[in-house]
Amino acid sequence: MGTRRPGLPGEVERGAAGTTDVVLREGGGSWLTLPRSVGRAATTGLLTGLVGLVLAVPTAAVVLLSGRGWAAMWVVVLWMESAAVAVGFAGGLASACFRAHRITFSPSSDGPLMVRVVRGLRAGPWRAGEGSIRVRLEQVIEEPCGDDPNPATTVVSLRVIRDDSDIGRAVLPQGTDVPRLGAALEEALGSSVVIELHVRRKTRPRVTRRANRGGFTGISGAGGYSCGGGSGGG
């Protein structure tokens, strides 16, 4: 697969052969994916290494108490740490390789619509777009309740759906212009793909403060009083 310029989630790109790409993850389908994926896998490996270290401490104590000596203890700790780091790194890298980074649509003039999924740097096979293919933009707006000083927040996600199953999904960056993105998708994909916009509003739970006998101020409201419910629209 040729090198592509880095794309941002939600971007619509036209290929040289007339294909249309919907980017799901930053840098998806380009060589920029590789160092980013390796870096995240290394971070995952370090985190699992810390977990392995916590588990290795009681194991090391058991080895020492059994009278096998310090050398045997360090061998056991080293093996446990190495295994934890290797599993975390391999799992993080595999997750990046198998995660969908972009969806490619065939040119509308080439007959029936064909779709393929790009995972990491590898493009999957072209598959006929059997049934309806939909690109759904979901916008969830969470509004403050009462005197909550925090501003409203918006989360926008993009889903590519075939036969009621997701073949790709991504959370788009803050500030994404949803109507503009929907218009760009409709223009690029034409009538062969249904573009849907779902907007749902909900109210952030009220946060109340209460003082206990010792003067400590606690925060409640996660499972208690809520200022209101949610509403949706399509």
Side-chain angles (χ1 to χ4, degrees), residues 53-219:
L53 184 61
V54 172
L55 297 177
V57 170
T59 305
V62 171
V63 173
L64 281 177
L65 292 175
S66 66
R68 297 186 180 182
W70 287 92
M73 182 208 73
W74 285 115
V75 170
V76 171
V77 171
L78 181 61
W79 274 104
M80 290 185 67
E81 272 295 285
S82 300
V85 172
V87 169
F89 181 81
L93 198 57
S95 175
C97 291
F98 289 104
R99 185 183 296 128
H101 286 79
R102 65 173 65 214
I103 308 293
T104 302
F105 297 87
S106 65
S108 57
S109 58
D110 289 354
L113 180 69
M114 304 287 286
V115 181
R116 68 180 178 185
V117 182
V118 178
R119 303 182 187 278
L121 294 175
R122 184 179 62 86
W126 287 106
R127 299 185 183 277
E130 299 175 356
S132 62
I133 294 183
R134 295 172 288 153
V135 176
R136 177 181 295 181
L137 295 170
E138 297 180 342
Q139 186 175 18
V140 180
I141 303 171
E142 187 177 66
E143 298 173 332
C145 174
D147 56 355
D148 186 349
N150 297 313
T153 59
T154 302
V155 176
V156 180
S157 59
L158 182 149
R159 298 170 58 193
V160 181
I161 306 170
R162 178 175 57 195
D163 298 331
D164 295 328
S165 298
D166 286 0
I167 60 174
R169 182 170 187 166
V171 176
L172 304 185
Q174 291 289 331
T176 297
D177 189 332
V178 177
R180 182 177 179 181
L181 175 57
L185 288 167
E186 190 170 19
E187 179 183 357
L189 299 176
S191 59
S192 55
V193 177
V194 178
I195 309 298
E196 300 178 347
L197 174 60
H198 291 252
V199 180
R200 183 164 65 94
R201 295 180 180 272
K202 63 180 183 179
T203 304
R204 186 180 304 136
R206 180 190 294 259
V207 178
T208 58
R209 297 182 179 272
R210 60 188 178 188
N212 60 18
R213 296 178 180 177
F216 173 76
T217 300
I219 299 177

Side-chain angles (χ1 to χ4, degrees), residues 1-30 32 101-107 118 126 158 181 184-185 187-189:
M1 182 177 175
T3 303
R4 299 175 184 263
R5 73 174 180 84
L8 295 176
E11 279 191 351
V12 180
E13 298 180 350
R14 300 304 296 265
T19 57
T20 300
D21 284 10
V22 178
V23 180
L24 300 180
R25 286 175 174 80
E26 183 178 358
S30 73
L32 291 178
H101 286 79
R102 65 173 65 214
I103 308 293
T104 302
F105 297 87
S106 65
V118 178
W126 287 106
L158 182 149
L181 175 57
L185 288 167
E187 179 183 357
L189 299 176

